[in-house]
Amino acid sequence: MDAREAALRQAQGHAVRWLASLHDRRVPARASVDEIVRALGADLPDAPSPPADVVDLLAAACEPGLTAFPGGRFYGFVVGGAEPAALAADWLVSAWDQNCVMRAASPACAAVEEVAGAWLLDLLGLPDAGAVGFTTGATMANFTCLAAGRDAVLRRVGWDVARDGLTGGPGVRVIAGEDRHMAVDLALRYLGLGRPELVAADGQGRMDPAALRRALAAGGQRPTLVVLQAGDIHSGAFDPFTETIGAAREADAWVHVDGAFGLWAAASPRYAHLTAGCADADSWATDAHKTLNVPYDCGLALVRDPSALRAAMGLRGDYLIQDEQGDPVDKVPELSRRGRAFTVWAALRSLGRSGVAELVERLCRHAAAFAAGLAGTEGATVLNDVVFTQVCAEFGDDGRTERVLARLLDDGTAWISGSTWRGRRVMRVSVSNWSTTDEDVARTLAAIRRAAAGA
Ligand SMILES: *Cc1c(COP(=O)(O)O)cnc(C)c1O
């Protein structure tokens, strides 16, 4: 066995032991950053070390500082886990080490993007001629889609951003719902578009279509982007797409949907109604590393008009062997990058259409079980309409909610984040992991009751 193979075998052993520990380990990490820093070693060694030893050292140093994100009882943020086929494919991606820049350089990368992209558009009910870019996450997927939109609306009034930039141009108006995700603001900031104008939302965070109409009418005819949302991180709510997209169309705006975890509702016959009308937008951002449960990092930028995406992201380089059909590099901000589509192909091939639908429905079923269990917990109130995977609850007052959250984290059975929603501190449960079972939900509810009893 050579040194490389020895290192890979050690890594496999550590990976399998880590995954096997998830059922029973504490969800929060046991060690602090400082402790892990010390364990990793302060000084850069002078001499080389055998790769297998390095892998062992890394695993031993980091293990106490790992959070059980991929386990069934992590409900903080919206994180997803790693489906077995996707995780195994990710190991291959590292071993293959392909640069997914051009068709000519890695036919396998281009092919897997083509097949996975077509499957995604089909599954999510989006236009089959659309383009799919594989980004690092939904923040960059929002960035990529909004770049395509920004350039397209300016092109309509004769302004070429790629050549002339934004300075001195006619400007772009951006309208978003008041409960949009902060990633949208970040993307707009990177794009030189500043803060969006905000449109009022209802109690669940859904944009008010009448308010959008008024905002559009008040602005006159200017290049405009409208940003909608499929899946509010607190309530799980979806914007009313038919009315909002109708209004935006009349104003000739580019409509973009941030559906980082919620867009996947479209893949389930039972939940597809939540995304009704959404397919009429111009672009959609989502994550494969959330609801689809592929490992980090994998976001998806989906754009109706492939030429708009290519105009914003495409490049020409004298030393590149470029393809008339467009290359993977023409759909994302990066040049060199790993093959992100391999894990998506593997997850979709492994689950199939019915498996993805069942995954979405299972996450929603667990969220409903959390809502029912919380409603039956002394002093707890569920604050949102639980339509998808998100549940927000409070425990009487902000102070008590904080104490319950702190006691729960201390207990270690599960991880649930706190947040502020509608002016109150809340416990926010996000169900996003494929491996969560009924038993995980029951164990977590029991832990919440223990935490609440003493708080
Ligand atoms: C998670 C999330 C994002 C950001 O996605 P990343 O993959 O973390 O970049 C954007 N919007 C919504 C609604 C999200 O839930």
Side-chain angles (χ1 to χ4, degrees):
M1 204 185 341
D2 69 7
R4 180 169 63 196
E5 193 176 338
L8 288 173
R9 281 177 197 271
Q10 287 308 102
Q12 189 200 19
H14 291 299
V16 169
R17 278 191 295 281
W18 154 251
L19 295 173
S21 78
L22 293 171
H23 184 263
D24 294 312
R25 73 185 286 125
R26 272 176 63 82
V27 176
R30 295 190 309 276
S32 68
V33 174
D34 289 344
E35 287 166 324
I36 308 299
V37 165
R38 278 194 293 278
L40 287 169
D43 297 319
L44 176 65
D46 290 326
S49 309
D53 294 356
V54 173
V55 169
D56 287 342
L57 275 169
L58 184 68
C62 289
E63 205 273 347
L66 297 176
T67 300
F69 282 108
R73 294 185 312 284
F74 187 93
Y75 311 103
F77 325 115
V78 184
V79 294
E83 273 278 341
L87 172 57
D90 204 43
W91 289 5
L92 277 181
V93 172
S94 291
W96 286 339
D97 196 23
Q98 302 289 289
N99 188 336
C100 281
V101 60
M102 291 170 298
R103 295 171 75 90
S106 179
C109 271
V112 81
E113 284 201 4
E114 195 173 306
V115 175
W119 286 357
L120 286 164
L121 293 167
D122 175 11
L123 197 62
L124 299 174
L126 301 178
D128 58 12
V132 183
F134 292 81
T135 63
T136 52
T139 304
M140 288 313 286
N142 278 306
F143 169 87
T144 302
C145 291
L146 289 167
R150 177 195 67 181
D151 294 8
V153 295
L154 285 170
R155 208 158 37 243
R156 285 180 208 155
V157 295
W159 188 264
D160 181 348
V161 181
R163 193 189 57 211
D164 299 321
L166 291 171
T167 310
V172 176
R173 190 174 178 213
V174 187
I175 301 178
E178 60 182 346
D179 283 338
R180 79 228 168 271
H181 192 278
M182 62 195 171
V184 167
D185 293 36
L186 211 49
L188 293 171
R189 205 165 98 198
Y190 300 157
L191 289 163
L193 297 177
R195 287 212 193 117
E197 287 173 46
L198 300 183
V199 168
D202 69 11
Q204 298 297 317
R206 290 177 294 238
M207 185 188 279
D208 173 0
L212 174 62
R213 246 175 223 289
R214 282 195 299 276
L216 285 165
Q221 281 288 332
R222 276 198 286 148
T224 302
L225 305 178
V226 172
V227 184
L228 304 176
Q229 178 163 265
D232 179 290
I233 51 164
H234 287 104
S235 67
F238 292 66
D239 282 340
F241 298 113
T242 306
E243 296 94 316
T244 50
I245 295 177
R249 282 271 168 267
E250 284 167 30
D252 204 25
W254 174 288
V255 185
H256 170 68
V257 179
D258 175 15
F261 65 94
L263 202 61
W264 296 86
S268 152
R270 199 173 303 164
Y271 291 93
H273 65 93
L274 293 169
T275 58
C278 177
D280 292 332
D282 295 293
S283 60
W284 307 263
T286 190
D287 265 320
H289 63 217
K290 289 182 181 170
T291 309
L292 185 61
N293 278 259
V294 309
Y296 292 110
D297 56 19
C298 192
L300 303 164
L302 307 131
V303 181
R304 172 184 298 280
D305 174 5
S307 69
L309 181 58
R310 194 170 178 183
M313 293 290 143
L315 94 167
R316 289 272 155 247
D318 292 339
Y319 69 98
L320 300 174
I321 316 155
Q322 287 180 296
D323 196 290
E324 278 317 305
Q325 299 176 60
D327 282 298
V329 70
D330 295 323
K331 299 178 198 168
V332 291
E334 298 98 359
L335 299 189
S336 301
R337 68 179 159 93
R338 80 193 265 103
R340 301 193 184 109
F342 291 97
T343 59
V344 172
W345 183 91
L348 294 177
R349 181 69 181 77
S350 170
L351 292 165
R353 198 184 293 278
S354 67
V356 178
E358 205 270 324
L359 167 62
V360 170
E361 289 160 18
R362 197 164 69 238
L363 302 178
C364 294
R365 180 165 59 76
H366 291 320
F370 270 114
L374 283 162
T377 299
E378 180 69 33
T381 311
V382 174
L383 298 176
N384 65 312
D385 297 341
V386 180
V387 294
F388 198 55
T389 55
Q390 308 297 104
V391 184
C392 277
E394 54 110 33
F395 291 79
D397 59 60
D398 286 0
R400 179 150 189 264
T401 301
E402 276 307 319
R403 287 195 297 280
V404 176
L405 283 163
R407 286 170 58 91
L408 181 69
L409 204 59
D410 237 26
D411 172 272
T413 304
W415 177 309
I416 303 181
S417 315
S419 185
T420 299
W421 191 54
R422 301 289 179 251
R424 290 148 112 159
R425 289 301 291 165
V426 292
M427 168 181 281
R428 191 189 61 179
V429 184
S430 301
V431 187
S432 65
N433 192 299
W434 69 279
S435 70
T436 297
T437 60
D438 293 342
E439 184 213 346
D440 286 319
V441 175
R443 274 170 76 180
T444 303
L445 281 166
I448 293 172
R449 290 202 187 97
R450 283 197 299 278

